[in-house]
Amino acid sequence: MTDGPGDGLGGAMGPGTGLVPGLAAGDRATVLLVDDEAEILTALTDLLEEGFEVVATTRPEEALALLAGGLRPAVILSDQRMPGLTGDAFLERARAHSDAEALLLTGYAELDAVVGALNRGRIAGYAAKPWEPAALLAMVGAARDRHDLRRALEAERALLQGLLENLPDQLSFKDAQGRFIRLNAAKAAALGLEPGACLGRREEDLLSPEAAAGLAKAERDALAAGTASALAEAPPGPDGQPRWLHTSRVALGAGVLVTIARDVTEARRLETRLRQADKMQALGTMAGGVAHDFNNLLTAILGSLHLAGKRVGDEPGLRRLMHNATLAAERGSALTRRLLSFSRQNELAPRRVSVNRLILGMGDLLARTLGTPPGGALELRRDLAADPGAVRVDPDQFELALINLCINARDAMPEGGTITLATADAPIGPDEIPELPAGAYVRVSVADTGTGMPPEVLTRVLEPFFTTKEVGKGTGLGLPMVYGLVRQSGGGLAIDSVPGKGTRVSLYLPAAAAGDEESVPPGDGTARACAPARILVVDDDATVRSVTAGFLSDLGHEILEAADGEAALRLLEGDEGVRLMVADFAMPRMNGAELSERARAIRPGLPILLVTGYAELGALSPGIPVLQKPYRQGELAERVGLLLG
């Protein structure tokens, strides 16, 4: 038996129909109407269709099928007395498919019967027939608002829960007694527990007494100040390396405290690497300047000794002294070359090199160089990738770098051990190694099983002259030279060391381009005999200029000297007999490159030879050769002979 339709229809046509208050235009929620009387549905549709999208049916089973098929109403308004399925039973079954707000239309007079129906169907409200239009509109609008609010809260809860669980930072909320109200998996994992096992417990109870006291003070300070942040060292990770956490605490009121702890270990390591790179750059600049001045001094010393040696006669004692002085100066020259390599100002002869072939070809050289340590056997292993890419590097300097690394490895194993040379392709991603751009690299590493290095030593091993070896057994330029070589070749260097377990030094060199052909290093050439010529020597260092002039005079040439570029240009303008200019590169006011340009403007075909103590020569005109200081008379004679023809 159904409720009487007549009363309800009359009320539906009364005043008060229209849009639901507060409903934005175009924001139309869906209302599902279920009543076995078609006239009732028509009246309800007329009342609600201006403010809602209305779907109506006379059969509860059809309504359930619509819900199961995907209909998502905000409100379901159902009659109570319907044949086959009462309204409260229908609404209870609808819960399996919909979270809509449920409203009941009823003609019951007994309050107990209405309350029972509401409880069984979990119904949010009811309207009696006949209904009052404005009141029913307000009820449906309020139900729609509750539905929207509940959905918004559920979405916010899901978002917050997703953020809480997936945030890599350690996040927690504590009450006024310091007990966990909520925390995420990252925070629980830091305590060695599951999140559920931490709820209601105090963090201080899970820490050592010392750590608990520090935490309690930090949280008191944050509650007093309202907010606080700090950077602190955390317990070491699984790799045994120090970890760092940046922790922010914010008081939310009523003693509630939210804590966010972020692991900044990698950022700290990158910052340390960048500081080290900056320091290495500064040291390299200083080393380059020192090496330039050293080269001038050594040029003067070696040149003067060479010229004096021709004039001392056959006095054995004096010749022995001069020979010793020459050897010492040559050792200084070798030291300077290593400084220049560190400062990336050494002239290289790069070419396409197969790292595997180079390492295999060094077998005899390494065996002779390393020998056998006094305390035990030394094993040299090779772990070479099947076909690593080729690199572009100076092979002679690269061999020297590998020898230096192997000698360091041997010295770190006084009782013997294993040195392993390994190669591999090593693609580098962005910011993976701070000083290297992303790209294709080949890694060549030298590892030992020796004493390893503590962190305080590891941070300084690339500094020039820093060494842990005994006095007289190391210059402290081996690793800096290697570092300089790989940086000058466009690569980088990484060192991993664990005290008591050993050290691995990895060199990263850019992979050579596919079409990069092997360059042929320039030949040594042979000194050519040539007729005496008038030669202009330009150098701001009077001592070096005197040696260069002495070398050339000794070869029979006529020499003109100039202390700077302006004086040299005046001589060239006034003397067309000058057939060659030998000029220093690093001079005040006008360097060798600028002088060469202006000299060629005056004398287009003039041969020019630049001499320099370092290799950062800037832009040079093509066809201008360079001779590195310190040089011997034979090297100068060879270049002059080639230029004069």
Side-chain angles (χ1 to χ4, degrees), residues 110 126-127 133 191 233 246 272 283 289 355 424 426 463 471 508 533 539:
E110 299 86 357
Y126 74 96
L191 297 172
E233 188 170 357
H246 182 271
T272 301
L283 287 171
V355 291
E463 296 179 11
V471 176
Y508 292 86
D539 201 309

Side-chain angles (χ1 to χ4, degrees), residues 434-452:
E435 61 187 11
L436 289 184
Y441 293 83
V442 176
R443 183 178 64 242
V444 180
S445 61
V446 178
D448 64 62
T449 56
T451 55

Side-chain angles (χ1 to χ4, degrees), residues 532-605:
R534 185 175 298 171
I535 299 176
L536 173 59
V537 177
V538 189
D539 201 309
D540 63 304
D541 189 312
T543 307
V544 176
R545 188 173 70 246
S546 174
V547 167
T548 305
F551 277 166
L552 294 172
S553 295
D554 198 46
L555 295 171
H557 299 291
E558 180 184 351
I559 306 303
L560 298 177
E561 296 185 34
D564 55 46
E566 293 293 344
L569 293 173
R570 288 195 298 270
L571 286 172
L572 286 176
E573 289 175 340
D575 191 339
E576 295 184 358
V578 174
R579 292 186 54 201
L580 172 67
M581 182 173 73
V582 180
D584 186 27
F585 176 79
M587 296 187 293
R589 296 184 295 279
M590 185 189 306
N591 65 31
E594 296 165 337
L595 173 60
S596 299
E597 291 288 336
R598 295 181 60 177
R600 286 279 174 87
I602 298 171
R603 299 275 299 278

